[in-house]
Amino acid sequence: MRPIRFTVIGVTFYLFLYTLAPVLSPAYILMFILFLVGNTLLLYMIYIVLKHGKAPKEKWNDGYWYSDINKKYSENA
C-alpha cells in the first residue's frame, strides 16, 4: 500500500500546482511541457493503483456499494 499512497499524493500535489501555474503567467511552452508531464504522471498513477491496489472483498452485486463503510444497501426492509 505504501507505493500507492506516495504516488497518489505526489501526482495529486503536482496536478494541484499545475492548476495554479497560470496565475504566474508562464510561457506557453512551459505550460505545454507541464501538461504533458501531468498526463504522463496521471497514467502512471492509474497503472500503479490498478497493479498494486487491493480489491475489496465485498461485491457490488451482493449489495455493498462502498467498501469503506460497513453497510449493505440492497437489503429488503
Side-chain angles (χ1 to χ4, degrees):
M1 194 62 144
R2 199 172 262 286
I4 294 174
R5 179 178 296 159
F6 291 128
T7 303
V8 170
I9 291 172
V11 171
T12 303
F13 184 70
Y14 175 83
L15 293 175
F16 177 73
L17 292 179
Y18 172 73
T19 59
L20 296 178
V23 175
L24 302 174
S25 300
Y28 175 78
I29 189 69
L30 177 63
M31 285 302 294
F32 183 69
I33 291 171
L34 292 175
F35 174 75
L36 292 178
V37 170
N39 283 322
T40 305
L41 287 174
L42 188 63
L43 290 174
Y44 176 71
M45 181 179 72
I46 292 169
Y47 171 75
I48 290 295
V49 168
L50 290 176
K51 181 172 174 128
H52 298 292
K54 295 179 183 176
K57 296 174 187 169
E58 298 85 11
K59 299 296 180 194
W60 176 272
N61 294 338
D62 295 336
Y64 294 99
W65 295 355
Y66 300 100
S67 62
D68 59 345
I69 57 173
N70 192 14
K71 186 173 183 181
K72 190 172 181 178
Y73 284 96
S74 296
E75 291 180 346
N76 293 331

